[in-house]
Structure formats: C-alpha cells, structure tokens
C-alpha cells in the first residue's frame, strides 16, 4: 500500500514539475464531459500547480493528498504551489530507499521533523529584510512570480501595480504590516489585448445597467445595495401586507374587465412608486440588486433616474458595499438613507464587441479596494491572467507581512540542503540518513528548474554545490538565461514565508503518506 501511495505521489510530482519556473510549460485542460451543460469542449491553459491539480481527476490516494497540499499552499501564500507538490513528492522519493532498507516510518517521520527545524532556521538566517518602501525588492518578488506566465508580456507594469496595490491595501499597526488581499477585485474582459489591462484604484464591476437610464459618468453618486430582487407582485404583496398587517389577504382582479385592468395598473403604479420611495428619499443614483429585477419595473427606475444593476453576484455586491461604505439590506423596504454608500465618481465603460460594460467606482467612501481590469482575447487566457495577478499581489503581500525575502531560482534550496548535510552527522543515528534524504529532495527544485530550461543536470548541480560550498549563497539557476549565476542580482526573490510554509506543508503531507498502511474508501 505504502509503495503504491508513494508511486502515486511521485507521478503527480513529476507531472506538475514540468510547469515549474520561467521555462515551465503550460498545460492545456479540456473538459471531456459531453454533458450538455454549455461547458462541453471547453479549453483552459494553466501553469498554476494548485489549479492544475484541483482540476485533474487523480485516482491514487497518494496523488490526491499531494493535490490537497498544493491547494493548502495556495490558500495560505497564493504562490509556491508547484514547489510544495515537488517538495512533497521528492521527499517521498528520497526516503523510499530508506523504507526498503527497513527504516521504520516513525523514525523517518522524526528525521523529517528534524530536517524541517534545521531548514526553517536556515531560511530565517538567509533571509533579507524588506519593507513596504523597498521598491526594487518588492517589484522583484512580483516579477519572480510572473516569469514564464501568461502575464509575462506585461510583467513590468503588473509588477509595479502589484506593489502599488499592496501599498494601498497595507495597514500598519505597531511595526506589523497586514494586507487584506480579499479587497483585490479582478475582472477579465474578452476585449483588447493583455497590454490594455489596467489598475483601478477602487472597485470594478463587470456589469451593464439594466434600464434605459445608463449614465456614463456620475459624480458623487449615492449607492444602495439590496440582496432581494423586485417584481411587481412583490411590491403589491408588500403593500397588501402592510395594509392589513397580514399577508393572507387576497385581491382578485378580473383582467377581462377593462375597468379592472385599469384599476390593476393604477394599483401597480402606486405601489411600485411606493417601493421606490426610500431610494428617491435618499437621493440614490445607483441601486445594486443581488437578484432579479423584473423588466416591467425598469421604466419606473428610469423615470426616477436610478440606474439599476441586477443579478449582481454576492461577493461582488459585498465588495461594492465595502468600497462605498453602503449597508447591505435584504429588502428594499428596509433601506434608509443611512445605508447609502458613496463613491467620488462612477464611470461606465463600453468595449467594442462585448456586451457587458465595466462599472468603475473611483474613490469609494468605504474601505480601500483595488481592482485590476484584465483584458485578453479569450476566456482561457483571462482566467490564467487573473490567477497570475493574484499570485503576484499575494507574494508581495507575503513579503511585506513577514518582512523577509530569500533568493529564488533554487538558491535557497541548495543553501538549506548544504546545511542539512552539514548538520546530519551531529543528529546521528538513523535520523541522519533521513535528513540527508530531505537535502536531496530540496535539490529537486534547482534540478527541475534546470531540466525545464534544458540545462545539463549533473553540471548544473555540481556547479551550484561548489558555489555554495564557497559561500556564494546567491548562486542559483538563471532560468531565462539558462545558466548558473547570481539570482539576487537578477532580482529572483521570493517571500521567506512561502518557502517555509511550502516545506512545512510538504513535510507534513509526506509524513502522513508514510504512516498510511491502508486506504479505505469512505462514502460521503
Ligand atoms: P510555484 O507554483 O511553486 O510558484 P512557479 O512555476 O511559479 O511555481 O516557479 C517558481 C520557481 O521558479 C521558484 O523556485 C522561483 O524562484 C523560480 N524562478 C522564478 N523566476 C526565475 C528565473 N528567472 N530563473 C530561475 N528561477 C526562477
Ligand atoms: Mg509561482
């Protein structure tokens, strides 16, 4: 069982290893589901380890566990997912011979634990400080995440933006920096090219106004946000229930009788007008609705010069509310003027060839939100671009939150590997063999970077080891140039926490796999 799980993990590791680094290859995912769900035959290109693993139906439990750990890394750091999966599968590969030699999984687990402790200390010792004002270092961190990705054509701009976005969102309390990356909004438009992508200092919503009142620019608009939709029936029901204080009253209109039709129409006008009253009273210019708004009701909004956004997605609605300082109400009737949100300017953009507009909320009165309006000609590049942008922003955040970066391009892995080999004998016993195995596993990263760049593996590794032996700890793989060299000078830097978490997560998942002696299907 154990060897099957290790094999499963190695297969997954080898599979996604080809995507690692600036010379990594993308994978094309396509939906084999023939079901008529409108998604059949859809294609998507990705280079994102966690996403790839999430979308692939790996059958082996070992492989599935690796996919899970990559997802955990994504959640925690936003980057380093392929690295985590490689660490985990390489650790298992490296300890496999020890298992065959009869080392007990418990001994291996304690050796791995010891190795992580040494590695964490080494990463800490090798990291260099970075602050929010360190333009060069932070831009380098963003660039490192974007190398070889879909976003590469706009790498420079995007890196600068990522730093700007993080600065805008950063909050400092007592020398601690916190960045709430939930307040980043990314919308992709299938229009223009990737170089048309722009950063918006505020919230962006990919939506058109529903009615005929569609202003292109509003200064200081008041904004209302409600989750429930409006229909005439609802308006009327509400009126009836407030008249009678019960919702059970029934009024029947005979619509074959012209008088009755008129009466119904009057009734409708009166009560829809009533529905709109709180909005008019609060001088609302735009109402965002998280559900349907009946077409027949739109003219009333037009007449009141209230622009309507309907069927807004919950997460978007919440962000608009946060950005503008609006309070979200369930029903329109609960709305009052204190619930209004504000923004300095609302701009509606149209794009050729696409139906949906973009609404840009500049200078909201609530929390600071930063958006990226990503352009691209296909959805598949749009989605990947969104993931790239998020990776860059989250990496820069991780760098400023932890205040430390380490050399990338496999350099830190070689440094740690060397330290592990140096410390292993002192630990002694069988654990020392495990610690050496972890050192081999970490070298999997520079090896993979070199392999993906088409470099000679043996040469690269010996050159790297020799440089580090001579204390040139900034030596790593320069993936773009396909040579070994100083990665720090080339700005290949990563957040220290990303490496630490990746190793901790990989070690813990490798240990878990080693302890599994049986796999039982569970029904959910
Ligand atoms: P992950 O999902 O682990 O982030 P990536 O495909 O983004 O995987 O690759 C990250 C690795 O690529 C890191 O080890 C990083 O240091 C390395 N890297 C990034 N840019 C370069 C470069 N120009 N040369 C060499 N290595 C690089
Ligand atoms: Mg990455």
């Amino acid at each position: 069982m154990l060897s099957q799980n290790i094999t499963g993990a190695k297969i997954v590791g080898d599979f996604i290893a080809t995507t690692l680094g600036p010379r990594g290859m993308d994978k094309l995912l396509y939906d084999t589901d023939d079901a008529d769900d409108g998604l059949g035959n859809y294609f998507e290109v990705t280079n994102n380890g966690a996403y790839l693993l999430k979308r692939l139906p790996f059958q082996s439990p070992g492989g599935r566990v690796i996919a899970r750990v990559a997802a955990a890394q994504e959640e925690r750091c936003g980057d380093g997912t392929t690295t985590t999966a490689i660490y985990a599968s390489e650790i298992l590969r490296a300890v496999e011979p020890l298992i065959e030699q009869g080392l007990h999984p418990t001994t291996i687990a304690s050796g791995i634990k010891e190795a992580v402790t040494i590695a964490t200390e080494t990463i800490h010792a090798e990291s260099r400080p970075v602050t929010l004002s360190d333009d060069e270092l932070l831009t380098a961190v963003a660039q490192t995440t974007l190398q070889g990705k879909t976003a590469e054509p706009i790498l420079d701009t995007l890196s600068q933006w990522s730093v700007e976005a993080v600065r805008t969102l950063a909050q400092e309390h007592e020398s601690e920096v916190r960045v709430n990356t939930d307040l980043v909004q990314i919308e992709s438009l299938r229009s223009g090219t990737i170089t048309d992508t722009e950063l918006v200092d505020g919230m962006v919503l990919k939506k058109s106004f529903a009615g005929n009142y569609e202003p292109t620019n509003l200064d200081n608009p008041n904004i209302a946000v409600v989750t429930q939709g409006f229909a005439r029936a609802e308006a009327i029901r509400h009126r009836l229930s407030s008249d009678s204080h019960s919702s059970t009253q029934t009024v029947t209109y005979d619509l074959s009788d012209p008088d009755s039709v008129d009466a119904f129409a009057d009734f409708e006008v009166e009560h829809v007008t009533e529905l709109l009253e709180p909005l008019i009273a609060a001088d609302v210019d735009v109402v965002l609705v998280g559900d349907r708004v009946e077409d027949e009701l739109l003219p009333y909004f037009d007449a009141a010069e209230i622009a309507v956004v309907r069927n807004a997605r919950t997460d978007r609605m919440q962000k608009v509310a946060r950005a503008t300082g609006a309070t979200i109400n369930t029903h329109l009737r609960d709305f009052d003027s204190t619930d209004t949100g504000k923004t300095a300017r609302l701009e509606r953009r149209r794009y050729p060839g696409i139906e949906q507009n973009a609404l840009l909320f500049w200078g909201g009165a609530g929390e600071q939100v930063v958006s990226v309006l990503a352009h691209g000609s296909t959805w598949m590049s749009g989605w990947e671009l969104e993931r790239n942008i998020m990776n860059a922003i989250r990496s820069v955040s991780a760098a400023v939150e932890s205040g430390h970066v380490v050399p990338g391009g496999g350099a830190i892995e070689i440094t740690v590997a060397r330290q592990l080999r140096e410390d292993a004998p002192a630990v002694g016993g069988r654990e020392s063999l495990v610690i050496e195995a972890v050192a081999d596993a970490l070298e999997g990263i520079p090896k993979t970077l070199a392999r993906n760049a088409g470099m000679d593996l043996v040469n690269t590794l010996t050159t790297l080891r020799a440089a580090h032996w001579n204390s040139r700890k900034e030596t790593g793989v320069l993936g773009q140039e396909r040579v070994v060299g100083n990665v720090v000078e080339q700005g290949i830097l990563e957040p220290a926490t990303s490496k630490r978490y990746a190793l901790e997560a990989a070690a813990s998942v490798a240990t878990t796999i080693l302890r599994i002696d049986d796999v039982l299907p569970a029904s959910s």
Side-chain angles (χ1 to χ4, degrees), residues 117-422:
T117 306
I118 298 169
T120 307
E121 282 163 13
T122 313
I123 291 169
H124 183 70
E126 295 305 321
S127 64
R128 43 215 78 204
V130 62
T131 65
L132 260 180
S133 54
D134 262 324
D135 254 324
E136 208 175 317
L137 285 187
L138 294 181
T139 315
V141 169
Q143 280 175 344
T144 302
T145 71
L146 295 170
Q147 301 242 359
K149 310 287 191 238
T150 301
E152 203 162 23
I154 50 167
L155 182 131
D156 287 333
T157 333
L158 208 50
S159 305
Q160 279 166 20
W161 284 354
S162 305
V163 177
E164 265 174 51
V166 169
R167 279 204 189 118
T168 309
L169 298 175
Q171 295 192 320
E172 283 175 276
H173 334 253
E174 299 162 13
S175 79
E176 285 245 317
V177 183
R178 285 283 157 268
V179 184
N180 188 354
T181 49
D182 290 345
L183 294 174
V184 177
Q185 177 64 32
I186 303 174
E187 292 279 20
S188 313
L189 293 166
R190 192 162 41 174
S191 138
T193 66
I194 189 169
T195 53
D196 298 320
T197 297
E198 59 185 314
L199 182 72
V200 176
D201 198 357
M203 174 69 190
V204 164
L205 197 63
K206 196 166 61 180
K207 273 286 184 188
S208 304
F209 289 131
N212 287 327
Y213 174 62
E214 297 181 275
T216 38
N217 257 307
L218 287 170
D219 285 327
N220 292 308
N222 288 327
I223 293 152
V225 184
V226 285
T227 52
Q228 279 220 340
F230 332 126
R232 283 170 300 175
E234 199 258 353
I236 291 165
R237 219 174 9 252
H238 169 234
R239 174 53 198 260
L240 290 177
S241 66
S242 57
D243 280 353
S244 65
H245 300 287
S246 95
S247 53
T248 51
Q249 184 177 340
T250 312
V251 177
T252 314
Y253 288 98
D254 175 3
L255 296 182
S256 58
D257 166 11
D259 283 350
S260 190
V261 171
D262 281 351
F264 181 78
D266 290 348
F267 195 68
E268 175 188 308
V269 172
E270 187 186 330
H271 300 300
V272 173
T273 310
E274 192 171 290
L275 180 79
L276 284 173
E277 242 162 44
L279 294 178
I280 295 168
D283 198 16
V284 165
D285 302 285
V286 179
V287 62
L288 212 80
V289 187
D291 201 347
R292 257 163 36 85
V293 175
E294 228 176 28
D295 281 343
E296 288 78 357
L297 284 182
L298 293 172
Y300 297 96
F301 286 88
D302 291 343
E305 298 205 330
I306 298 173
V308 180
V309 178
R310 62 184 171 189
N311 299 317
R313 275 177 47 179
T314 309
D315 60 324
R316 307 291 205 276
M317 223 166 42
Q318 283 165 349
K319 258 189 220 167
V320 169
R322 290 175 79 166
T324 61
T327 305
I328 303 180
N329 278 297
T330 312
H331 299 283
L332 191 50
R333 60 175 176 271
D334 301 329
F335 174 85
D336 75 65
S337 58
T338 57
D339 299 330
T340 355
K342 277 195 160 295
T343 195
R345 189 161 69 89
L346 192 141
E347 183 188 349
R348 178 171 66 91
R349 295 250 186 99
R350 270 162 300 180
Y351 299 92
I354 57 169
E355 204 181 309
Q356 246 160 7
N357 293 168
L359 304 176
L360 288 70
F361 298 73
W362 298 96
E367 287 175 89
Q368 183 69 53
V369 171
V370 175
S371 307
V372 181
L373 203 48
H375 288 252
S377 46
T378 62
W379 288 132
M380 62 184 192
S381 62
W383 289 325
E384 182 71 352
L385 183 59
E386 284 182 22
R387 287 190 285 270
N388 290 173
I389 296 170
M390 214 51 215
N391 276 351
I393 292 176
R394 294 200 50 199
S395 271
V396 176
S397 301
V400 295
E401 284 187 343
S402 73
H404 289 91
V405 292
V406 290
I412 188 70
E413 280 86 358
I414 300 279
T415 307
V416 174
R418 188 193 150 190
Q419 194 64 48
L420 290 173
R421 291 198 182 99
E422 218 167 277

